[in-house]
Amino acid sequence: MMQIYLMDWLNLALKLLHVIAGIAWIGASFYFNWLENKLDRLNNRDEIAGNLWAVHGGGFYHLEKYKKYPQTLPEPLHWFKWEAYVTWLSGISLLSVIYYFNASTYLLATDSSISAINGIGLSLLGLLLFWLIYDILCKSRLVNKSAIFIAIIFIVISFFSYFYSNIFNPRAVYMQIGAMVGTVMVANVFFVIIPVQKKLVDACENATEVSLELGKTGYLRSRHNNYFTLPVLFMMISGHYPTIYSGDYGWLVLIAVIGILVMVRHYFNLRGVGKAKNSLIAIIVLSTLALIYVLAPSQSKDQKQNKEIVTIAEAQIIIEKHCVSCHAAEPSNKAFAIAPNGIMLDTQENIITHKNQIYKQAVLSKAMPIINTTNMTDEEREKLGIWIEAN
């Protein structure tokens, strides 16, 4: 019991650290991309590539970007790297605490034939492989052919999403793909962006020439990270919305959402340089509405014609059989010290209070019980649905 209690505190601490570091990293990324788009590139001194005036927090700011580097290295020189590193380190720790330490429950699918250790190994392998594939593509000529490059990245992500959907539970698939993309983002910082910046600093100190291609390489990886940001944020919060990730084609939904969010980021990038098109907004809106329509719950003819009446007592029997082991004042499931999310279903009053959550988790998305460890049948889910819809 004490171990479970301490793990909850560790989970909370890591999640808070992950969110705080992520906000700092993403905030800096958004700001510097906005800054790059808004630079005034006219009427500057010869060594200045652009400048910008801003007002914030009761004061005026004047920023300048150098074409190469200043005559002397300024002190102190502020670096932006630990935000990325702490985000990834806290994220991989959180992935371990939630999904790896409880792999048989939270990582693997119910019918998965592989062991927990193999599942963890495949998860870690995915983090490495996606980075290697992406890095090879970036170092090839394809990186200059945007349409082909983006198409290949989408195909690769689609492959991994489908592959993991056959061995991981749906929620874990989303977290896995999010971790893979997040790993690429931090690897861009560690292996490319920061080394480029160190070479620029060395060139400044030694007054040596620096290749323009060097700066372009760092900028390109930073731009990629900018487009990855919104999909990663979505995958971070997706675990709270089982209607999105559950179902046989949850991996396809993931690909569709990634595509929509990349378009959203692209629109704002275009807007930053005054090239935004309303047609792109229309595509984003129509794509989102189409996805909502496809995911909307629908009743079968049998359900619509079903005149069966299900009582609260019958619903309670089903819930006691499949839900109360976790959702009780004192859970009998050893994985939980307290009821998940504080939702207790051990009385009729509690069942009525939380009927909407029951409908969403057990009937609509079939996300609960976790990996269906208690083998709740479709007939039992249908009975719960009939009772909830009638009340």
Side-chain angles (χ1 to χ4, degrees):
M1 187 66 70
M2 180 57 70
Q3 181 182 3
I4 296 172
Y5 173 74
L6 293 176
M7 287 295 287
D8 279 345
W9 273 105
L10 179 59
N11 188 334
L12 174 60
L14 288 172
K15 188 167 294 186
L16 183 60
L17 177 61
H18 187 56
V19 170
I20 292 171
I23 289 172
W25 184 17
I26 292 167
S29 172
F30 279 8
Y31 174 70
F32 277 103
N33 273 274
W34 175 87
L35 179 63
E36 184 68 28
N37 290 334
K38 293 297 183 179
L39 285 175
D40 179 1
R41 302 183 186 277
L42 301 175
N43 303 317
N44 292 295
R45 304 191 308 274
D46 289 342
E47 70 270 23
I48 300 300
N51 77 94
L52 177 138
W53 282 93
V55 60
H56 180 75
F60 289 92
Y61 295 81
H62 185 215
L63 300 97
E64 293 181 324
K65 179 182 178 180
Y66 282 75
K67 293 178 180 178
K68 294 194 297 182
Y69 48 74
Q71 291 182 351
T72 58
L73 188 66
E75 287 289 346
L77 182 63
H78 299 285
W79 294 72
F80 292 84
K81 56 182 179 179
W82 286 108
E83 298 89 345
Y85 300 160
V86 174
T87 300
W88 187 83
L89 289 171
S90 58
I92 202 69
S93 298
L94 199 57
L95 186 69
S96 300
V97 168
I98 298 176
Y99 291 93
Y100 293 170
F101 290 170
N102 299 283
S104 58
T105 299
Y106 289 106
L107 183 67
L108 300 179
T110 309
D111 56 352
S112 181
S113 60
I114 66 174
S115 66
I117 191 66
N118 286 337
I120 295 170
L122 287 172
S123 173
L124 294 172
L125 182 62
L127 305 186
L128 176 62
L129 284 179
F130 185 49
W131 159 249
L132 292 176
I133 293 170
Y134 165 82
D135 190 51
I136 290 171
L137 287 171
C138 284
K139 292 174 180 176
S140 72
R141 294 181 180 179
L142 291 175
V143 75
N144 296 317
K145 300 178 180 180
S146 298
I148 297 176
F149 181 84
I150 293 171
I152 294 174
I153 292 296
F154 263 91
I155 291 171
V156 172
I157 292 177
S158 299
F159 167 79
F160 278 113
S161 299
Y162 175 74
F163 171 75
Y164 285 116
S165 71
N166 287 288
I167 56 176
F168 290 173
N169 73 64
R171 180 184 176 188
V173 172
Y174 279 51
M175 293 300 108
Q176 172 67 23
I177 301 302
M180 288 166 55
V181 177
T183 297
V184 163
M185 292 175 68
V186 77
N188 273 340
V189 174
F190 185 80
F191 291 113
V192 181
I193 297 172
I194 293 301
V196 165
Q197 292 174 181
K198 287 181 177 180
K199 290 179 180 179
L200 290 174
V201 169
D202 289 341
C204 179
E205 289 181 319
N206 301 316
T208 57
E209 287 298 319
V210 62
S211 170
L212 292 176
E213 289 300 317
L214 186 66
K216 289 181 180 179
T217 299
Y219 173 77
L220 183 64
R221 298 296 182 107
S222 179
R223 202 67 167 177
H224 288 173
N225 280 2
N226 179 255
Y227 280 97
F228 283 141
T229 299
L230 294 185
V232 169
L233 285 175
F234 164 75
M235 287 178 273
M236 281 177 61
I237 66 172
S238 64
H240 300 286
Y241 303 95
T243 51
I244 299 294
Y245 61 75
S246 296
D248 295 333
Y249 299 100
W251 67 275
L252 271 178
V253 175
L254 174 59
I255 300 304
V257 173
I258 289 175
I260 291 171
L261 292 176
V262 167
M263 286 192 291
V264 170
R265 187 65 254 170
H266 187 54
Y267 170 79
F268 281 102
N269 285 336
L270 290 176
R271 183 178 177 182
V273 294
K275 297 181 179 180
K277 298 180 179 179
N278 291 332
S279 58
L280 185 55
I281 296 179
I283 294 172
I284 292 169
V285 171
L286 290 174
S287 299
T288 303
L289 292 175
L291 186 60
I292 293 172
Y293 175 78
V294 170
L295 293 178
S298 61
Q299 292 181 318
S300 66
K301 293 181 180 180
D302 290 340
Q303 285 179 304
K304 292 178 181 178
Q305 297 173 358
N306 199 325
K307 303 299 181 180
E308 180 182 0
I309 296 175
V310 178
T311 65
I312 178 64
E314 291 176 290
Q316 186 176 16
I317 291 173
I318 297 172
I319 290 169
E320 286 179 347
K321 178 181 178 183
H322 297 287
C323 310
V324 173
S325 61
C326 298
H327 294 279
E330 296 182 2
S332 59
N333 188 328
K334 295 181 179 180
F336 301 100
I338 59 174
N341 298 320
I343 296 176
M344 293 180 284
L345 305 174
D346 44 2
T347 67
Q348 287 191 2
E349 291 76 12
N350 286 338
I351 291 172
I352 293 171
T353 300
H354 298 292
K355 65 180 183 180
N356 289 337
Q357 288 97 324
I358 295 171
Y359 186 78
K360 182 173 69 173
Q361 298 281 357
V363 180
L364 188 60
S365 68
K366 299 182 181 180
M368 293 291 162
I370 297 176
I371 64 170
N372 202 20
T373 51
T374 59
N375 297 314
M376 181 183 282
T377 65
D378 289 340
E379 290 74 20
E380 289 173 319
R381 296 182 193 275
E382 184 177 334
K383 282 181 177 291
L384 285 178
I386 292 171
W387 172 73
I388 293 170
E389 290 169 3
N391 292 274

